[in-house]
Amino acid sequence: MLVRGAVLTVVLLGLVAFSVLLAKVTLTPSPASADLVTANLRPGRSLRQYAEDYTFLAACKQAGGNLLLGVPFGLLLPFFVPRRLRMIRTTLLTAVAMAVVELIQGALVEGRAFDIDDVILNTAGALLGYFVLGRRISHRYYTYTDDSPGPSAEKPEAELKRPPGPAARGKPARTETAPEAARAEAAPTTTVRAKTARTKAARTKAARTKTGQRDRPKSAATDPAKKRGARTGRTDGPASGGRRATGSGAVRSLLDRLRGR
């Protein structure tokens, strides 16, 4: 900021000094040429007159003087003009300023008149000064001032150096990397595959269980015929024959006892 203020102060002083010099050169009365000077509103008329009526040195002095009067505009104005469309704005400001000076000459100063060719030469001198030196100087100035750190640039650095608070320490920020993102995308597919594998395993287990039940012999608890025999007290085989014989013998002994009485 200090360098920027110093540069702008120097440029402003130079512009003021140039304005004083321009006023002395252009607004000084010239009574001797009052009858010779006439107003010119046609572009190029005075230039033709310089070439026809003046000597080479006098023509160079007249045209060159008007060019040099415009050069300081091309050197100083770019420091006060925004960077966007700087050349066009500098040209327009120079043309307006010199047109005002020429109007003052023709209206108030004795021995001087308005000349459109002087405005053209002054504007051309401003463009010359801008392209030769003004553009480079202003570009370096704006580049330096834009790159120099200011209050807005120091504040983020202080915030970056500030230690993290308790919340930031307790819960560190989690940044998802590319492998984690790939895993997250592949998670649904993996879940579907796991469910399919579990379903197939369950079906295989059920099929094996059914096959084992078919091959295993039926037990007494599950055989319907055996269940009926257990309910009626009758069974097939040697055991049933013994039981029947024992029952008939008891009946006979009972009959013999009744007869003896």
Side-chain angles (χ1 to χ4, degrees), residues 180-226:
E180 291 181 358
R183 292 173 189 170
E185 292 179 357
T189 307
T190 307
T191 306
V192 173
R193 290 180 180 176
K195 289 182 179 180
T196 306
R198 291 174 185 174
T199 306
K200 289 183 178 179
R203 291 179 181 175
T204 305
K205 188 176 181 180
R208 290 178 181 176
T209 305
K210 290 180 180 180
T211 304
Q213 290 179 357
R214 290 175 184 175
D215 295 341
R216 187 171 53 188
K218 295 181 180 180
S219 60
T222 59
D223 193 355
K226 291 182 179 180

Side-chain angles (χ1 to χ4, degrees), residues 51-113:
E52 293 174 359
D53 300 339
Y54 288 67
T55 62
F56 179 75
L57 293 177
C60 289
K61 181 179 178 181
Q62 191 70 23
N66 288 321
L67 282 174
L68 290 177
L69 284 177
V71 170
F73 285 107
L75 297 177
L76 302 176
L77 286 181
F79 289 92
F80 300 99
V81 174
R83 300 180 64 178
R84 187 178 180 182
L85 302 176
R86 187 185 303 162
M87 182 191 72
I88 297 175
R89 292 181 179 183
T90 302
T91 303
L92 291 177
L93 286 175
T94 304
V96 170
M98 297 313 299
V100 171
V101 171
E102 290 292 329
L103 287 173
I104 294 173
Q105 279 184 348
L108 302 176
V109 181
E110 184 183 2
R112 297 184 180 275

Side-chain angles (χ1 to χ4, degrees), residues 174-188:
R174 181 182 177 184
T175 56
E176 189 176 9
T177 58
E180 291 181 358
R183 292 173 189 170
E185 292 179 357

Side-chain angles (χ1 to χ4, degrees), residues 142-182:
Y142 281 110
T143 303
Y144 177 78
T145 54
D146 291 344
D147 293 340
S148 59
S152 59
E154 293 176 358
K155 187 175 180 180
E157 293 180 358
E159 292 180 356
L160 290 175
K161 292 180 180 179
R162 185 182 301 171
R169 292 176 184 174
K171 295 181 179 180
R174 181 182 177 184
T175 56
E176 189 176 9
T177 58
E180 291 181 358

